[in-house]
Amino acid sequence: MSRAMEDYIAAIWRLTLHGGTASTGAVARRLGVSPASTSYMFRKLAEAGLVDHKEYAGATLTPAGERAAAGYIRRHRLTERFLVDILGIPWDQVDAITDQMEHALPDVVVDRIDDVLGHPRTCPHGYPIPDRSGNVDEIAVRPLTELRPGETAVVARVAEHDPQLLAHLGDLGLFPRTEVQVLARDRVGDTYRIRVGNREHVVGRAVAAAVYVADA
């Protein structure tokens, strides 16, 4: 499978993890390519038996496509975990570095990384790592914007594709497994006053919406 095909099936996997189909536009936006290129790749993936694709209806993964995508996602997220936990690379830099490394890593290396790390369940940004059989251990999450003033929760995951945003979230201490409390909301300015550890911050909606929490 080519690198481009892996990128596409991974995008479809992420967009359809909870059901539905991945539209041409959604996949194109996620990968930063044109809709025409995406339509062409959908047809190519369908010919390879990896996706079911109907014109104007988007794409879903076949069982073979799901297995391949889960393996790719597993490789990506374990590599990110290795870069952060073992090499100390900042979490806002590992996505781009992993994109350069992951396609060359054989399964035996990925499995060894998993063993060395003690079989982590999530990537540094909080997203679940599929196991060797492709199973995913999901938990119920909601955006921080849904918390009521006075409510406390635990950061489960954060939006992972904007390095500047990730660096900012790190500066605020909003890492997975960190407790966060919404102290107040200013509906006029659309800002949130939050407590993270012993520090208080005021964040805008864009930042709050990038943080997903689970019950404490």
Side-chain angles (χ1 to χ4, degrees):
M1 189 185 307
S2 70
R3 174 172 178 166
M5 292 172 75
E6 285 188 331
D7 289 340
Y8 272 90
I9 63 170
I12 296 169
W13 188 89
R14 288 183 171 106
L15 291 167
T16 61
L17 186 59
H18 301 293
T21 61
S23 70
T24 301
V27 173
R29 287 191 295 273
R30 189 172 192 95
L31 296 178
V33 298
S34 70
S37 296
T38 302
S39 295
Y40 168 78
M41 185 58 77
F42 279 179
R43 292 192 294 272
K44 189 173 180 179
L45 292 169
E47 291 171 359
L50 297 172
V51 305
D52 289 321
H53 172 233
K54 295 181 180 179
E55 200 72 27
Y56 308 114
T60 57
L61 295 172
T62 64
E66 288 180 357
R67 289 191 298 272
Y72 174 89
I73 295 293
R74 169 179 164 80
R75 194 188 326 146
H76 184 96
R77 292 177 179 171
L78 278 171
T79 302
E80 287 186 327
R81 189 90 260 176
F82 177 81
L83 292 173
V84 170
D85 294 357
I86 304 300
L87 301 186
I89 305 296
W91 75 334
D92 55 293
Q93 298 178 22
V94 294
D95 186 60
I97 296 172
T98 299
D99 282 344
Q100 299 175 41
M101 296 175 55
E102 62 193 352
H103 299 281
L105 292 178
D107 289 343
V108 64
V109 174
V110 175
D111 289 342
R112 184 58 183 148
I113 289 174
D114 190 26
D115 292 338
V116 168
L117 294 176
H119 311 291
R121 299 176 67 180
T122 63
C123 76
H125 312 113
Y127 291 86
I129 298 172
D131 65 19
R132 296 182 188 187
S133 299
N135 300 311
V136 177
D137 185 15
E138 276 282 12
I139 61 170
V141 299
R142 52 184 169 145
L144 180 62
T145 52
E146 292 187 3
L147 292 187
R148 299 181 301 275
E151 193 172 359
T152 299
V154 173
V155 177
R157 66 188 56 153
V158 298
E160 59 182 338
H161 292 297
D162 183 337
Q164 286 187 317
L165 177 59
L166 278 172
H168 182 54
L169 293 176
D171 290 340
L172 297 175
L174 287 167
F175 298 102
R177 296 185 296 278
T178 300
E179 192 171 85
V180 57
Q181 182 183 29
V182 172
L183 301 174
R185 178 180 177 185
D186 179 355
R187 294 187 178 275
V188 176
D190 208 9
T191 59
Y192 300 77
R193 184 161 59 89
I194 61 175
R195 178 182 288 122
V196 184
N198 60 0
R199 296 191 299 164
E200 293 186 14
H201 310 283
V202 175
V203 299
R205 168 169 282 275
V207 172
V211 178
Y212 297 86
V213 300
D215 292 336

